[in-house]
Amino acid sequence: MTTWGFIGSGNIGSTVARLAVDAGHDVVMSNSRGPETLADLVAELGPHARAADARTAAAEGDVAVVTIPLKAYRDVPVAELDGKVVMDTMNYYPQRDGQIPELDEESTTTSELLQEHLPGSHVVKVFNNIAYPHLAGLARPSGSPERSALAIAGDDAQAKATVTRLLDEIGYDAYDLGPLAEGWRTQRDTSAYGLIYASDPANWFSAPPRQVTAGDLAEAAGRAQRYRDMG
């Protein structure tokens, strides 16, 4: 059993938490509004879940999931996550997050920014390129021919091995993009983002999910273009 600490409990965070609880893990949920606002979610998740503030969730998690708007990444607790694997789901949306010059210049990535903020942690990019209904609907047991894969990126091999194991336990294979710097390949508007998991790209969010294998992800990530190269 692993305890997952969630910094953020929105759609992706709560979906990952449900998958973790279903796999027999414990979760500690937090958000920016206080643990009392998470009572309904925790009740739905059941006895393996509880709510806390962000520092407590970070401290009590064996691993952490950071799933907040990117503009708030500097609010992520630092000391409490020292030495831990931190899964980063964040994407950069300038209309929401404001302009971040180094991301506009594509000289770094969202996960590298989080890694700089958490120098003692081991950041792994994951869960950022799939809509939450598809994430909930595609989980399959290990060995299933219908299993899908999720992309990961990270600079620490052991951290990526930990995340690969956890993904396996919640119903997914992992496809390793490489170091954190390669996480751009699944960022917003790339060929490996969002639509790849939708059976109908024209109605991608509401469309039923479709299986995406590691090979599918590899092909899509290989076609990814930098924003400066997009037409």
Side-chain angles (χ1 to χ4, degrees):
M1 181 185 297
T2 301
T3 298
W4 302 49
F6 284 80
I7 314 302
S9 299
N11 290 327
I12 288 290
S14 59
T15 300
V16 175
R18 288 186 187 95
L19 293 173
V21 165
D22 288 346
H25 298 288
D26 289 336
V27 299
V28 184
M29 311 303 296
S30 74
N31 64 14
S32 62
R33 295 176 291 128
E36 66 279 358
T37 66
L38 295 168
D40 290 345
L41 174 61
V42 167
E44 177 190 341
L45 291 172
H48 285 284
R50 69 184 191 85
D53 58 52
R55 291 190 181 281
T56 301
E60 297 192 357
D62 300 314
V63 298
V65 181
V66 173
T67 180
I68 57 177
L70 180 64
K71 62 183 177 182
Y73 81 90
R74 292 185 182 87
D75 296 334
V76 174
V78 177
E80 292 83 356
L81 293 174
D82 189 62
K84 296 183 180 181
V85 174
V86 176
M87 290 173 267
D88 168 34
T89 82
M90 296 185 292
N91 287 301
Y92 175 42
Y93 299 102
Q95 67 272 29
R96 178 197 65 190
D97 301 313
Q99 301 298 141
I100 300 176
E102 53 266 57
L103 294 180
D104 292 336
E105 298 162 359
E106 298 186 274
S107 60
T108 191
T109 63
T110 60
S111 294
E112 288 174 292
L113 287 180
L114 182 62
Q115 183 67 81
E116 289 176 10
H117 176 68
L118 301 173
S121 303
H122 309 292
V123 174
V124 177
K125 189 73 171 180
V126 65
F127 300 124
N128 72 294
N129 70 320
I130 184 170
Y132 75 88
H134 300 163
L135 180 61
L138 284 171
R140 297 290 188 277
S142 183
S144 169
E146 297 180 347
R147 212 173 211 218
S148 287
L150 296 173
I152 64 172
D155 294 335
D156 184 275
Q158 187 57 50
K160 288 195 286 189
T162 296
V163 172
T164 296
R165 172 179 60 81
L166 293 173
L167 288 180
D168 178 62
E169 292 178 10
I170 68 171
Y172 285 90
D173 293 334
Y175 172 69
D176 189 353
L177 293 167
L180 280 181
E182 288 296 292
W184 71 270
R185 292 186 177 277
T186 58
Q187 69 189 2
R188 181 198 81 241
D189 296 334
T190 62
S191 50
Y193 180 80
L195 294 179
I196 190 173
Y197 292 97
S199 57
D200 178 8
N203 300 286
W204 73 275
F205 194 82
S206 58
R210 74 176 185 94
Q211 181 185 20
V212 174
T213 66
D216 296 329
L217 270 181
E219 190 277 331
R223 289 189 287 109
Q225 291 182 294
R226 295 282 191 176
Y227 294 135
R228 58 180 172 266
D229 297 324
M230 292 182 182

